[in-house]
PDB file of all heavy atoms in Angstrom:
ATOM      1  N   ILE A 319      18.266 -22.529 -18.628  1.00  0.00           N
ATOM      2  CA  ILE A 319      19.618 -22.480 -19.175  1.00  0.00           C
ATOM      3  C   ILE A 319      20.356 -23.727 -18.698  1.00  0.00           C
ATOM      4  O   ILE A 319      20.263 -24.089 -17.519  1.00  0.00           O
ATOM      5  CB  ILE A 319      20.397 -21.242 -18.673  1.00  0.00           C
ATOM      6  CG1 ILE A 319      19.583 -19.958 -18.836  1.00  0.00           C
ATOM      7  CG2 ILE A 319      21.742 -21.109 -19.390  1.00  0.00           C
ATOM      8  CD1 ILE A 319      20.148 -18.784 -18.036  1.00  0.00           C
ATOM      9  N   ALA A 320      21.094 -24.376 -19.586  1.00  0.00           N
ATOM     10  CA  ALA A 320      21.983 -25.462 -19.176  1.00  0.00           C
ATOM     11  C   ALA A 320      23.339 -24.844 -18.815  1.00  0.00           C
ATOM     12  O   ALA A 320      23.901 -24.061 -19.587  1.00  0.00           O
ATOM     13  CB  ALA A 320      22.138 -26.480 -20.297  1.00  0.00           C
ATOM     14  N   ILE A 321      23.838 -25.199 -17.635  1.00  0.00           N
ATOM     15  CA  ILE A 321      25.068 -24.626 -17.092  1.00  0.00           C
ATOM     16  C   ILE A 321      26.130 -25.721 -16.967  1.00  0.00           C
ATOM     17  O   ILE A 321      25.815 -26.844 -16.541  1.00  0.00           O
ATOM     18  CB  ILE A 321      24.804 -24.011 -15.694  1.00  0.00           C
ATOM     19  CG1 ILE A 321      23.748 -22.896 -15.783  1.00  0.00           C
ATOM     20  CG2 ILE A 321      26.084 -23.488 -15.064  1.00  0.00           C
ATOM     21  CD1 ILE A 321      24.192 -21.660 -16.497  1.00  0.00           C
ATOM     22  N   ASP A 322      27.388 -25.401 -17.309  1.00  0.00           N
ATOM     23  CA  ASP A 322      28.453 -26.402 -17.173  1.00  0.00           C
ATOM     24  C   ASP A 322      29.038 -26.399 -15.759  1.00  0.00           C
ATOM     25  O   ASP A 322      28.601 -25.635 -14.886  1.00  0.00           O
ATOM     26  CB  ASP A 322      29.533 -26.210 -18.241  1.00  0.00           C
ATOM     27  CG  ASP A 322      30.352 -24.934 -18.056  1.00  0.00           C
ATOM     28  OD1 ASP A 322      30.308 -24.342 -16.960  1.00  0.00           O
ATOM     29  OD2 ASP A 322      31.038 -24.536 -19.013  1.00  0.00           O
ATOM     30  N   GLU A 323      30.032 -27.237 -15.526  1.00  0.00           N
ATOM     31  CA  GLU A 323      30.583 -27.401 -14.182  1.00  0.00           C
ATOM     32  C   GLU A 323      31.269 -26.144 -13.650  1.00  0.00           C
ATOM     33  O   GLU A 323      31.419 -25.971 -12.438  1.00  0.00           O
ATOM     34  CB  GLU A 323      31.579 -28.567 -14.172  1.00  0.00           C
ATOM     35  CG  GLU A 323      30.906 -29.924 -14.329  1.00  0.00           C
ATOM     36  CD  GLU A 323      31.908 -31.063 -14.235  1.00  0.00           C
ATOM     37  OE1 GLU A 323      33.125 -30.772 -14.183  1.00  0.00           O
ATOM     38  OE2 GLU A 323      31.475 -32.225 -14.214  1.00  0.00           O
ATOM     39  N   THR A 324      31.690 -25.258 -14.567  1.00  0.00           N
ATOM     40  CA  THR A 324      32.352 -24.019 -14.142  1.00  0.00           C
ATOM     41  C   THR A 324      31.380 -22.879 -13.926  1.00  0.00           C
ATOM     42  O   THR A 324      31.785 -21.766 -13.587  1.00  0.00           O
ATOM     43  CB  THR A 324      33.403 -23.598 -15.176  1.00  0.00           C
ATOM     44  OG1 THR A 324      32.747 -23.268 -16.412  1.00  0.00           O
ATOM     45  CG2 THR A 324      34.413 -24.704 -15.431  1.00  0.00           C
ATOM     46  N   GLY A 325      30.074 -23.139 -14.129  1.00  0.00           N
ATOM     47  CA  GLY A 325      29.061 -22.106 -13.935  1.00  0.00           C
ATOM     48  C   GLY A 325      28.774 -21.280 -15.166  1.00  0.00           C
ATOM     49  O   GLY A 325      28.032 -20.289 -15.092  1.00  0.00           O
ATOM     50  N   ASN A 326      29.329 -21.667 -16.312  1.00  0.00           N
ATOM     51  CA  ASN A 326      29.098 -20.930 -17.559  1.00  0.00           C
ATOM     52  C   ASN A 326      27.949 -21.548 -18.346  1.00  0.00           C
ATOM     53  O   ASN A 326      27.796 -22.779 -18.374  1.00  0.00           O
ATOM     54  CB  ASN A 326      30.364 -20.928 -18.423  1.00  0.00           C
ATOM     55  CG  ASN A 326      31.477 -20.116 -17.797  1.00  0.00           C
ATOM     56  OD1 ASN A 326      31.252 -19.010 -17.311  1.00  0.00           O
ATOM     57  ND2 ASN A 326      32.688 -20.665 -17.791  1.00  0.00           N
ATOM     58  N   PRO A 327      27.154 -20.721 -19.023  1.00  0.00           N
ATOM     59  CA  PRO A 327      26.037 -21.238 -19.814  1.00  0.00           C
ATOM     60  C   PRO A 327      26.516 -22.071 -21.008  1.00  0.00           C
ATOM     61  O   PRO A 327      27.414 -21.661 -21.742  1.00  0.00           O
ATOM     62  CB  PRO A 327      25.316 -19.973 -20.282  1.00  0.00           C
ATOM     63  CG  PRO A 327      25.725 -18.903 -19.333  1.00  0.00           C
ATOM     64  CD  PRO A 327      27.137 -19.242 -18.949  1.00  0.00           C
ATOM     65  N   LEU A 328      25.903 -23.224 -21.162  1.00  0.00           N
ATOM     66  CA  LEU A 328      26.114 -24.046 -22.357  1.00  0.00           C
ATOM     67  C   LEU A 328      25.148 -23.664 -23.465  1.00  0.00           C
ATOM     68  O   LEU A 328      25.368 -24.008 -24.626  1.00  0.00           O
ATOM     69  CB  LEU A 328      25.900 -25.525 -22.004  1.00  0.00           C
ATOM     70  CG  LEU A 328      26.942 -26.200 -21.118  1.00  0.00           C
ATOM     71  CD1 LEU A 328      26.394 -27.523 -20.589  1.00  0.00           C
ATOM     72  CD2 LEU A 328      28.225 -26.427 -21.906  1.00  0.00           C
ATOM     73  N   THR A 329      24.088 -22.971 -23.106  1.00  0.00           N
ATOM     74  CA  THR A 329      23.012 -22.659 -24.047  1.00  0.00           C
ATOM     75  C   THR A 329      22.530 -21.226 -23.840  1.00  0.00           C
ATOM     76  O   THR A 329      22.891 -20.565 -22.857  1.00  0.00           O
ATOM     77  CB  THR A 329      21.804 -23.592 -23.816  1.00  0.00           C
ATOM     78  OG1 THR A 329      21.252 -23.322 -22.512  1.00  0.00           O
ATOM     79  CG2 THR A 329      22.207 -25.050 -23.916  1.00  0.00           C
ATOM     80  N   TYR A 395      20.461 -17.704 -12.515  1.00  0.00           N
ATOM     81  CA  TYR A 395      21.775 -17.361 -13.064  1.00  0.00           C
ATOM     82  C   TYR A 395      22.247 -16.017 -12.506  1.00  0.00           C
ATOM     83  O   TYR A 395      23.391 -15.872 -12.061  1.00  0.00           O
ATOM     84  CB  TYR A 395      21.695 -17.311 -14.588  1.00  0.00           C
ATOM     85  CG  TYR A 395      22.982 -16.904 -15.276  1.00  0.00           C
ATOM     86  CD1 TYR A 395      24.108 -17.710 -15.228  1.00  0.00           C
ATOM     87  CD2 TYR A 395      23.050 -15.699 -15.980  1.00  0.00           C
ATOM     88  CE1 TYR A 395      25.291 -17.338 -15.863  1.00  0.00           C
ATOM     89  CE2 TYR A 395      24.230 -15.315 -16.611  1.00  0.00           C
ATOM     90  CZ  TYR A 395      25.338 -16.140 -16.553  1.00  0.00           C
ATOM     91  OH  TYR A 395      26.505 -15.751 -17.167  1.00  0.00           O
ATOM     92  N   GLN A 399      25.417 -15.271  -9.863  1.00  0.00           N
ATOM     93  CA  GLN A 399      26.468 -14.322 -10.181  1.00  0.00           C
ATOM     94  C   GLN A 399      26.626 -13.278  -9.068  1.00  0.00           C
ATOM     95  O   GLN A 399      27.731 -12.817  -8.785  1.00  0.00           O
ATOM     96  CB  GLN A 399      26.170 -13.627 -11.511  1.00  0.00           C
ATOM     97  CG  GLN A 399      26.231 -14.551 -12.727  1.00  0.00           C
ATOM     98  CD  GLN A 399      27.624 -15.017 -13.048  1.00  0.00           C
ATOM     99  OE1 GLN A 399      28.548 -14.220 -13.125  1.00  0.00           O
ATOM    100  NE2 GLN A 399      27.800 -16.314 -13.237  1.00  0.00           N
ATOM    101  N   TYR A 404      23.359 -21.224  -5.804  1.00  0.00           N
ATOM    102  CA  TYR A 404      22.331 -21.726  -6.712  1.00  0.00           C
ATOM    103  C   TYR A 404      21.056 -21.897  -5.884  1.00  0.00           C
ATOM    104  O   TYR A 404      20.901 -22.897  -5.163  1.00  0.00           O
ATOM    105  CB  TYR A 404      22.745 -23.047  -7.348  1.00  0.00           C
ATOM    106  CG  TYR A 404      23.783 -22.895  -8.447  1.00  0.00           C
ATOM    107  CD1 TYR A 404      25.108 -23.234  -8.237  1.00  0.00           C
ATOM    108  CD2 TYR A 404      23.410 -22.399  -9.700  1.00  0.00           C
ATOM    109  CE1 TYR A 404      26.058 -23.088  -9.250  1.00  0.00           C
ATOM    110  CE2 TYR A 404      24.349 -22.253 -10.726  1.00  0.00           C
ATOM    111  CZ  TYR A 404      25.670 -22.596 -10.481  1.00  0.00           C
ATOM    112  OH  TYR A 404      26.605 -22.444 -11.492  1.00  0.00           O
TER     113      TYR A 404
END
Side-chain angles (χ1 to χ4, degrees):
I319 311 165
I321 300 291
D322 69 16
E323 290 183 353
T324 65
N326 292 315
L328 290 166
T329 65
Y395 177 66
Q399 293 291 311
Y404 284 105

